[in-house]
């Protein structure tokens, strides 16, 4: 029988069970005037780094899949940052945001870590903020704002790639251009329908 993962904290949510090896210990990176341009840029992009590795153990109740996600020592993160609602929630580096923001950043950098389950990533962020004493109203605002942002960015990226491909296809002087274009348009329609249902 497989050995159970070592987790210090557990969240038993309606859609998933999550275990955390520990609450992340982070280092704040303060820029100074003696830093090189490269270091300054890196500090602004990733103002926090993990002091120790943190493991997240996730079981999705919908399909029963298990995921282990690791945030590594000295890995950089930017905290809770979405510019259009930041004035509502406070500072990106507030301690109560960081446990959720670190896991959320990981799955946003690599969607395959949770099989591209966008809504699950938003729910993970929400439950981890509640664990670290974020007020429920504030956690709800952040969850929904992040979820909308992810939909818009993901959808926009798909449309831009599709339009670019469509333009390339219509420039080709081949006999099957019309068929290719028609198939692409059908693919875009299917993608929009899927996106609207998520």
């Amino acid at each position: 029988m497989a050995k159970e993962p070592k987790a210090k904290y557990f969240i038993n949510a309606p859609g998933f069970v999550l275990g955390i090896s520990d609450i992340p210990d982070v280092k704040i990176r303060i820029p100074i005037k003696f830093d090189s341009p490269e270091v300054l840029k890196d500090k602004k992009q990733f103002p926090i780094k993990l002091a120790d590795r943190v493991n997240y153990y996730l079981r999705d109740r919908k399909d029963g899949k298990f995921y282990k996600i690791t945030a590594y020592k000295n890995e950089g993160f930017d905290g809770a940052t979405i510019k259009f609602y930041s004035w509502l929630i406070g500072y990106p580096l507030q301690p109560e945001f960081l446990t959720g923001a670190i896991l959320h950043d990981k799955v946003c950098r690599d969607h395959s870590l949770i099989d591209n389950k966008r809504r699950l990533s938003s729910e993970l962020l929400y439950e981890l903020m509640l664990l670290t004493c974020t007020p429920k109203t504030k956690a709800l605002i952040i969850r929904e704002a992040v979820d909308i942002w992810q939909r818009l960015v993901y959808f926009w990226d798909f449309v831009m790639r599709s339009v670019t491909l469509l333009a390339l296809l219509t420039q080709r002087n081949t006999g099957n251009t019309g068929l290719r274009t028609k198939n692409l348009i059908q693919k875009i329609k299917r993608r929009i329908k899927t996106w609207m249902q998520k």
Side-chain angles (χ1 to χ4, degrees):
M1 188 174 179
K3 189 177 180 180
E4 287 295 316
K6 293 182 179 179
K8 192 172 182 180
Y9 303 98
F10 286 93
I11 295 173
N12 195 0
F16 61 86
V17 177
L18 179 68
I20 315 164
S21 61
D22 208 345
I23 299 300
D25 185 13
V26 300
K27 299 180 287 188
I28 304 295
R29 308 175 71 209
I30 300 172
I32 59 173
K33 65 181 181 179
F34 303 112
D35 287 334
S36 68
E38 293 78 15
V39 171
L40 277 174
K41 182 180 177 181
D42 189 61
K43 284 183 176 181
K44 288 179 180 179
Q45 185 177 3
F46 302 116
I48 60 173
K49 281 194 174 183
L50 280 181
D52 291 297
R53 184 175 69 177
V54 178
N55 292 321
Y56 298 87
Y57 307 98
L58 172 66
R59 175 78 67 185
D60 188 347
R61 291 187 189 276
K62 289 183 179 179
D63 56 19
K65 287 189 175 181
F66 174 79
Y67 307 92
K68 179 184 175 184
I69 302 158
T70 301
Y72 295 96
K73 182 177 180 179
N74 291 324
E75 190 170 355
F77 298 92
D78 62 359
T81 53
I82 288 187
K83 292 181 174 60
F84 74 84
Y85 75 92
S86 59
W87 60 276
L88 284 171
I89 64 167
Y91 300 102
L93 302 184
Q94 284 181 218
E96 63 265 33
F97 299 156
L98 297 183
T99 301
I102 287 168
L103 177 57
H104 193 262
D105 279 359
K106 287 289 295 188
V107 298
C108 284
R109 290 175 190 174
D110 183 358
H111 296 170
S112 68
L113 289 174
I114 55 170
D115 294 335
N116 202 27
K117 298 173 181 175
R118 177 195 49 75
R119 185 62 188 181
L120 178 58
S121 72
S122 302
E123 294 297 337
L124 288 167
L125 174 64
Y126 172 71
E127 293 291 344
L128 283 167
M129 284 190 294
L130 294 182
L131 175 68
T132 51
C133 301
T134 304
K136 188 171 184 178
T137 301
K138 187 177 287 189
L140 281 168
I141 291 171
I142 295 172
R143 182 189 70 187
E144 294 309 313
V146 165
D147 199 68
I148 291 168
W149 180 254
Q150 285 180 315
R151 279 195 183 201
L152 289 173
V153 171
Y154 179 62
F155 179 64
W156 176 254
D157 181 56
F158 174 82
V159 169
M160 290 304 294
R161 283 185 279 128
S162 300
V163 169
T164 302
L165 182 57
L166 183 62
L168 289 172
L169 285 173
T170 54
Q171 288 174 3
R172 291 182 181 177
N173 188 21
T174 60
N176 61 352
T177 298
L179 179 61
R180 290 184 183 181
T181 303
K182 184 178 179 180
N183 290 339
L184 180 62
I185 291 171
Q186 289 175 347
K187 183 178 179 182
I188 292 172
K189 287 180 178 178
R190 287 196 300 270
R191 182 65 188 88
I192 292 172
K193 185 177 180 180
T194 302
W195 173 74
M196 293 297 290
Q197 291 172 347
K198 286 184 178 180

